[in-house]
Amino acid sequence: MIDATALAEKPVLPGTRIQLVPLSPRHAAAFHATFRDPGVRRLTGTHHDWTLAELQDWCARAATRTDRLDLAIEDRETGEYLGELALSGIDKDNASGTFRISLAANATDRGIGSEAIRLLLGHAFDRVGLHRVQLEVFPFNPRARRAYEKCGFEVEGRLREALFWDGEWHDVLVMAALAPTGPPAPQADGDERRP
């Protein structure tokens, strides 16, 4: 059963190289810089041109939200901002939610996204009690799709021509991960990690 109080808690989730920490105003400037990057905007389908003031307000209110969890991804040693992620759209009756992640340009191709996804999924399944977590990804972002698949997400469907970007229509892939029903299966390298 889902624990609705878990979303009001703003945890620190430590990983090997990163940690997920509550999104706060100290992240606003780096968050803003990330969304100024045209590549990040394209990969996330972000049409809105967020101002620094809007993101400062968003980050300040993140701590008081009880219907979602917004976390910053930080380098565990230096505290450097590497991106942010969110668990939202919680359907308590069906124990499901929606996930999204955005990495800073300097945080890609290093396995940081996969580590962050695994940390958040573990929290979503074990602490919040979700059964299903879904996300959307664009077919022109195969790197993200591979990371999601490594973490246990599977493609469930396609929303045809759901994104209009640079004068063209693009499909959106819907992917989901389900809570494990038994002990985690050993990975190919012999390392037992949860998806």
Side-chain angles (χ1 to χ4, degrees):
M1 182 52 79
I2 185 171
D3 181 353
T5 65
L7 295 172
E9 299 168 1
K10 305 306 177 191
V12 172
L13 304 175
T16 304
R17 296 174 298 151
I18 63 166
Q19 61 183 359
L20 305 183
V21 300
L23 190 66
S24 71
R26 71 183 172 92
H27 300 111
F31 191 2
H32 182 250
T34 296
F35 274 96
R36 303 294 300 160
D37 183 291
V40 171
R41 291 173 66 92
R42 178 177 177 267
L43 294 178
T44 59
T46 303
H47 288 289
H48 183 75
D49 190 15
W50 292 92
T51 66
L52 179 56
E54 286 174 317
L55 288 177
Q56 287 170 330
D57 182 57
W58 178 263
C59 291
R61 291 186 295 120
T64 62
R65 292 187 188 99
T66 59
D67 62 336
R68 60 183 290 137
L69 182 59
D70 292 279
L71 300 172
I73 306 165
E74 293 182 342
D75 182 284
R76 193 162 173 182
E77 290 183 17
T78 67
E80 176 189 6
Y81 175 88
L82 301 172
E84 55 83 34
L85 42 70
L87 183 64
S88 62
I90 305 300
D91 179 341
K92 295 175 186 170
D93 295 325
N94 295 302
S96 65
T98 302
F99 166 77
R100 70 167 176 72
I101 185 171
S102 174
L103 294 178
N106 67 334
T108 61
D109 294 323
R110 296 173 27 203
I112 288 168
S114 296
E115 186 175 351
I117 293 164
R118 285 187 183 103
L119 287 170
L120 187 69
L121 281 181
H123 185 75
F125 294 143
D126 298 338
R127 175 66 184 97
V128 181
L130 295 184
H131 174 70
R132 180 177 192 280
V133 176
Q134 84 171 37
L135 60 82
E136 294 180 352
V137 65
F138 307 119
F140 56 73
N141 193 355
R143 181 176 57 207
R145 181 176 170 180
R146 284 191 303 275
Y148 299 142
E149 288 170 342
K150 281 182 9 182
C151 295
F153 284 88
E154 295 182 24
V155 174
E156 294 186 337
R158 176 182 298 266
L159 304 173
R160 295 179 308 135
E161 298 185 1
L163 173 71
F164 189 72
W165 197 266
D166 283 339
E168 294 182 42
W169 289 104
H170 300 275
D171 293 351
V172 175
L173 301 177
V174 177
M175 301 181 76
L178 302 179
T181 56
Q187 299 292 325
D189 62 5
D191 184 6
E192 290 193 26
R193 287 177 288 201
R194 137 173 280 154

